[in-house]
Amino acid sequence: MKSTSSITRVDVPARQGRAVQVGAGNLVRVSSPEGAQVGDLFAVVSADTTEHLSAAHTRGHVNRLFPHVGEQFVTTRRRPILTLVGDTSPSRHDMLIPACDPARYQQLGHPGPHASCAENLETALRGLGIEIATVPQPVNVFMDVTVNASGELVWQSSPAAPGATVTFRAELDCVVVVSACPQDLVGINGHGTGPMAIEVQG
């Protein structure tokens, strides 16, 4: 972890996850340094970690599949937790797909253990002494999943260029977790998995 003035940067190695504590009013910037890397983003309320960012509640709140800049993400109690304030990517993000987990990789035919966003979330939170009963559906930044005319999901490679960023303002004190998605059996991460970075500006 490196600090420069009021900005704290946390590097997220490929296939791993990291958690940061964020105060209300702070900015959180998530970047894809090498491009084409999907990040599963989660946020839990510091005062009560049973309350967390909810993709489903947010879809209903903004009446679209992903908020526009200036719109908010809400929790399971319909309270604003993050506001989208900046996006330098092509704005292809996903709130339909759940976090990858061991069962997903088994279904895809991978033999043996495989890193997953669900486990990355649990490990990152456990490092702060937080245990969760259920893995929330994440906000999948830089992930391009579309729906075709037949209603089928089309999984496409992330269009995020190297250095692409998406920036949020925290509306509540919360813990934000970013997992550099280890998915390498479905082509969402370009030519391979890579790192991500989180910057918190107080």
Side-chain angles (χ1 to χ4, degrees):
M1 182 183 296
K2 297 174 288 187
S3 295
T4 304
S5 65
S6 62
I7 299 177
T8 300
R9 177 185 170 101
V10 177
D11 292 315
V12 184
R15 307 170 71 86
Q16 297 184 30
R18 294 291 186 269
V20 293
Q21 299 192 53
V22 183
N26 289 173
L27 297 179
V28 182
R29 179 175 295 117
V30 179
S31 63
S32 177
E34 298 177 3
Q37 174 61 45
V38 169
D40 284 33
L41 181 144
F42 308 85
V44 298
V45 177
S46 297
D48 181 356
T49 56
T50 64
E51 182 181 5
H52 55 77
L53 188 160
S54 168
H57 289 78
T58 298
R59 292 194 301 268
H61 179 70
V62 298
N63 198 35
R64 66 177 87 248
L65 289 177
F66 199 86
H68 285 172
V69 170
E71 296 180 335
Q72 295 176 322
F73 300 81
V74 299
T75 71
T76 44
R77 298 177 189 167
R78 302 186 188 274
R79 296 198 297 163
I81 185 170
L82 298 175
T83 298
L84 181 63
V85 297
D87 188 353
T88 69
S89 77
S91 300
R92 299 303 304 172
H93 310 289
D94 168 74
M95 291 203 308
L96 294 175
I97 305 302
C100 59
D101 52 30
R104 171 66 166 158
Y105 291 105
Q106 291 173 5
Q107 291 172 352
L108 290 172
H110 181 81
H114 191 292
S116 72
C117 289
E119 293 174 308
N120 286 346
L121 168 68
E122 292 169 335
T123 299
L125 289 178
R126 195 171 296 124
L128 296 177
I130 300 171
E131 297 286 343
I132 55 172
T134 302
V135 174
Q137 182 182 336
V139 171
N140 296 306
V141 296
F142 310 130
M143 183 170 173
D144 191 3
V145 175
T146 58
V147 182
N148 67 18
S150 300
E152 299 169 322
L153 297 179
V154 181
W155 303 63
Q156 304 182 97
S157 179
S158 170
T165 64
V166 62
T167 305
F168 309 91
R169 183 180 65 244
E171 304 301 339
L172 299 169
D173 292 347
C174 59
V175 176
V176 172
V177 177
V178 174
S179 171
C181 184
Q183 177 60 266
D184 52 9
L185 303 180
V186 176
I188 60 171
N189 284 317
H191 299 295
T193 55
M196 303 198 78
I198 313 167
E199 291 178 321
V200 180
Q201 182 175 354

